[in-house]
């Protein structure tokens, strides 16, 4: 019995020591790699240096792997040279590529402009970005996104599968660009991203919008690791910490380390890192592309202007059938306003979806929705009777989504009043 227990103890000690030794070795490789190759690794050199790791990773894959050694190296570096973890992620990536016919997409994407990707006209009309706007001072291709100008309502009306298909083409297009730069220079390239949050409001912190974002981030980080060189987040609003707290857990430590949040005092740093000739003039640089550095969209185009005089109110009505849903969005120019939403049935019945209450709509957009319990009419009231002298200018959107157009997920319900409370929280 004593001999058996001693053997078990030694076995546990040996396993623990071995595991600890492997962890220490991996950490040493991570630190050495970061020191020797912060970016633009010479391809021949790193493939020679990490040949044993690459061979070990290839041997652990369950299927014959025809993936380039540079891709294997990206997975190794992305997963801190843990070959078991990298092999698992590689297997998932190969499955993803097979199920989504990504090799066929890669063949098709060469030579295509972004505007020619599937569903591009619909997506680009609500998300202004330029996936390759020149190069930074170190030679990384620069991508610019005007995230604060996203028309979230329009995006959420798109089918998620359509968005994902567009994004697959975009991911493959970026991968092809980096692959070509690798071959041209003999060094491993990554992307530089600039994310401009000017115009971002609390209405962008939408539950469904975050769900869409999470799926797209997961698709990118899981299947294209170590593709990001740097990211600069600029013009972050005062509530950005709330959004960052939601997004940060979805990112690996190595990815978070590459993200630099510059706030509103960004111009000098951006020009210093990227170069004035590659930074649009409206971001502090000198670039003025003939057709615009980023094709902007008018985020107010879908809104209707409604003046509300002092000591008065204005109402907007929408006819509806049972099960229809009204969706609204509004903001005011300089001051707050009271708002309510009531459904009135043809039989004279009435249901209050949002009780009359004050919204600080000059600071953030107010969004909501409500379902009709029967045929009748929605009445959205903008009440300025409490203001003795000040006229208010309301910019609003209010439309009916018929029951037939709502998916299963939408059919769960969620009244406007509850949504309003959620928005205020």
């Amino acid at each position: 019995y004593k001999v058996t227990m001693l053997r078990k103890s030694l076995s546990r000690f040996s396993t623990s020591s071995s595991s600890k030794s492997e962890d220490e070795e991996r950490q040493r490789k991570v630190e050495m790699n970061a020191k020797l190759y912060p970016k633009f690794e010479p391809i021949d050199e790193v493939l020679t240096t990490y040949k044993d790791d690459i061979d070990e990773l290839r041997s652990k894959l369950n299927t014959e792997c025809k993936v380039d050694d540079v891709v294997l190296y990206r997975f190794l570096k992305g997963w801190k040279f843990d070959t078991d973890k990298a092999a698992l992620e590689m297997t998932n990536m190969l499955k993803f590529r097979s199920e989504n016919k990504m090799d066929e997409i890669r063949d098709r994407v060469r030579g295509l402009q972004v505007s020619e990707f599937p569903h591009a006209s619909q997506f680009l009309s609500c998300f202004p970005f330029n996936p390759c706007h020149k190069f930074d001072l170190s030679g990384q291709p620069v991508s610019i996104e005007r995230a604060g100008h996203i028309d979230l309502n329009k995006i959420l009306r798109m089918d998620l599968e359509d968005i994902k298909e567009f994004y697959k083409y975009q991911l493959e297009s970026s991968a092809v660009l980096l692959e070509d730069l690798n071959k041209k220079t003999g060094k491993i390239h990554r992307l530089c991203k600039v994310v401009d949050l000017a115009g971002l409001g609390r209405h962008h912190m939408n539950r469904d919008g975050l769900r869409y974002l999470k799926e797209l981030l997961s698709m990118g980080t899981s299947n294209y690791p170590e593709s990001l060189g740097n990211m600069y987040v600029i013009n972050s609003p005062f509530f950005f910490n709330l959004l960052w707290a939601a997004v940060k857990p979805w990112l690996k430590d190595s990815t978070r380390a590459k993200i630099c949040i510059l706030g509103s005092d960004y111009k000098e740093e951006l020009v210093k890192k990227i170069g004035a000739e590659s930074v649009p003039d409206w971001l502090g640089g000198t670039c003025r592309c003939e057709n615009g550095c980023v094709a902007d969209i008018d985020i107010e185009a879908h809104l209707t202007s409604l003046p509300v005089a002092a000591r008065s109110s204005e109402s907007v009505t929408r006819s509806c059938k049972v099960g229809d849903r009204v969706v609204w969005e509004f903001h005011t120019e300089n001051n707050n306003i009271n708002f309510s939403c009531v459904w009135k049935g043809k039989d004279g019945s009435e249901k209050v979806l949002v009780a009359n209450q004050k919204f600080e709509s000059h600071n953030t957009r107010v969004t909501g929705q409500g379902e009709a319990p029967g045929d009748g009419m929605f009445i959205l009231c903008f009440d300025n009777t409490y203001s003795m002298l000040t006229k208010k200018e309301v910019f609003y959107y209010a439309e009916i989504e018929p029951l037939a157009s709502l998916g299963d997920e939408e059919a769960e319900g969620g009244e406007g009043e509850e949504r309003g409370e959620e928005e205020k929280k």
Side-chain angles (χ1 to χ4, degrees), residues 6 9 96 125 167 189 195 199 298 325 345 360 373-374 412 414:
L6 181 59
S9 176
F96 165 81
S125 69
Y167 192 54
H189 279 66
V195 181
D298 183 2
R325 181 166 294 183
E360 302 299 320
E412 293 176 348

Side-chain angles (χ1 to χ4, degrees), residues 55-67 72 83-95:
D55 290 344
E56 182 182 349
L57 172 56
R58 198 179 285 278
S59 71
K60 289 184 177 182
L61 298 175
N62 297 327
T63 182
E64 183 182 353
C65 180
K66 298 179 181 179
V67 178
L72 294 176
T83 53
D84 289 331
K85 181 64 175 174
L88 175 62
E89 296 300 326
M90 278 286 298
T91 300
N92 292 336
M93 181 272 285
L94 293 171
K95 181 180 178 183

